[in-house]
Amino acid sequence: MTAQIIDGKALAAQIRSEVSGRTAALKARGVAPALSIILVGEDPASQVYTRHKVNDSAETGLAATLERYPADMTEVALLARIRELNEDPAVHGILVQLPLPKHLDSQKVIETISPAKDVDGFHVASAGALMVGRPGFWPCTPHGCMKMLESIGYDLRGKNAVVIGRSNIVGKPMAMMLLAKNATVTICHSGTKDLGSFTRNADVVVAAVGKRNILTADMVKPGAVVIDVGMNTNDEGKLCGDVDFAGVSKVAGWITPVPGGVGPMTRAMLLANTLEAAERSSPAH
Ligand code: NAP
């Protein structure tokens, strides 16, 4: 079998186009969706990510402002700035780029963001809302993975889904989203014994670990859907995922590539969440 590719780049372009249309409609009602991004320090990867977020926003008509602060910014000053943005009705989404310098308590910082503006979906209230099935913002990466499953018309009801990784930003919310769609979900982690015994039974595998080749062809059920969240570098220094793509694509039914899979979807879902925050702040009726 040769797996069909789930093209995250193409799907993300479609989502951006929908966001553009809805943004234009909202602007016509006098609401200009706006995202405030806070970057503390000089982390090179964070600088690239925040630049992407600003450019992606501009391309879809959202207003994104990047506020840059020195690495020695105090926690008091950062929390005060977030509280100001919480109160500003012209700001709909607030995002603090992680990781933060070590002297800043990331959890405390994230929990200072108003849940109504938590477009990253990292606030404990957002996590709780997802857990109990209430409206709230879903973290962009697992949300993007769900959109990919939706795009192939995949019905999760009664399917076995295995999520490898249990981080608060990817693995755990991913498991909750799959559960909400009536999959039978197993979460694997570094303490899991014999990972393959779980993945071989899975109709859907989501790999979110950060280790190359954690999932190989012998660990995959023929025809399964394989979603690769991992971001690693190979021996040539090129971006690659957690999945042995060459081998697994001969066994799986569907597979997401790296690059061009989950990454573009994560970026697109941030735009969708920001627009959603603006729409919720100003209901049509
Ligand atoms: P993380 O916080 O480091 O979590 C990694 C998870 O993998 C942990 O739960 C860990 O288990 C588990 N793990 C480690 N070794 C394992 C093993 N041998 N077998 C099974 N599970 C194992 O990472 P993350 O933030 O969730 O990100 C995961 C990967 O996705 C990274 O490569 C990251 O760069 C990538 N990522 C990509 C995007 C995107 O847009 N494409 C977005 C976010 C993240 P324990 O909990 O037991 O330690």
Side-chain angles (χ1 to χ4, degrees):
M1 170 176 291
T2 306
Q4 295 192 59
I5 305 285
I6 308 178
D7 184 344
K9 220 170 152 184
L11 186 57
Q14 202 180 309
I15 288 170
R16 284 199 304 274
S17 147
E18 284 164 23
V19 169
S20 293
R22 274 164 60 195
T23 298
L26 198 57
K27 282 181 171 169
R29 288 205 282 116
V31 181
L35 171 66
S36 281
I37 302 169
I38 293 179
L39 173 61
V40 185
E42 306 287 331
D43 179 68
S46 293
Q47 295 190 39
V48 173
Y49 293 146
T50 50
R51 202 166 49 239
H52 283 160
K53 288 168 188 176
V54 170
N55 293 343
D56 290 350
S57 300
E59 279 169 23
T60 39
L62 304 168
T65 312
L66 176 60
E67 299 185 11
R68 304 184 62 143
Y69 296 102
D72 62 358
M73 183 186 207
T74 65
E75 193 168 279
V76 169
L78 177 56
L79 299 187
R81 181 59 190 139
I82 293 171
R83 288 191 188 103
E84 278 174 10
L85 293 169
N86 284 344
E87 296 303 316
D88 185 344
V91 172
H92 304 100
I94 303 169
L95 182 156
V96 178
Q97 185 65 42
L98 301 177
L100 286 168
K102 288 204 167 30
H103 67 284
L104 300 170
D105 178 345
S106 301
Q107 204 53 42
K108 194 168 166 191
V109 168
I110 297 304
E111 275 157 35
T112 302
I113 297 171
S114 161
K117 300 188 178 187
D118 175 37
V119 288
D120 253 344
F122 295 167
H123 194 291
V124 72
S126 303
L130 169 60
M131 179 103 173
V132 297
R134 301 275 300 157
F137 292 107
W138 287 6
C140 300
T141 300
H143 196 178
C145 295
M146 292 303 286
K147 289 278 174 196
M148 291 174 115
L149 287 167
E150 207 179 288
S151 76
I152 59 166
Y154 195 80
D155 182 6
L156 283 158
R157 175 174 285 275
K159 299 294 196 317
N160 287 339
V162 168
V163 179
I164 319 174
R166 57 170 165 186
S167 70
N168 289 335
I169 62 170
V170 189
K172 280 186 209 160
M174 184 78 241
M176 285 301 132
M177 291 174 199
L178 292 164
L179 184 63
K181 290 288 181 192
N182 301 307
T184 301
V185 183
T186 304
I187 307 175
C188 298
H189 47 79
S190 66
T192 299
K193 292 200 176 81
D194 192 4
L195 181 61
S197 68
F198 295 94
T199 57
R200 270 189 290 276
N201 268 326
D203 303 299
V204 177
V205 182
V206 181
V209 176
K211 286 189 180 153
R212 273 173 71 190
N213 297 338
I214 192 105
L215 192 76
T216 48
D218 57 306
M219 298 165 76
V220 175
K221 179 172 163 177
V225 182
V226 176
I227 298 189
D228 192 352
V229 179
M231 286 200 315
N232 311 294
T233 41
N234 65 16
D235 294 336
E236 289 91 54
K238 293 205 175 115
L239 181 66
C240 70
D242 286 348
V243 175
D244 168 25
F245 185 86
V248 171
S249 58
K250 292 193 179 82
V251 181
W254 294 89
I255 192 166
T256 68
V258 179
V262 175
M265 291 301 293
T266 297
R267 286 169 62 173
M269 295 322 293
L270 174 65
L271 305 173
N273 275 357
T274 303
L275 170 65
E276 180 87 30
E279 286 177 343
R280 286 183 197 169
S281 77
S282 176
H285 300 290

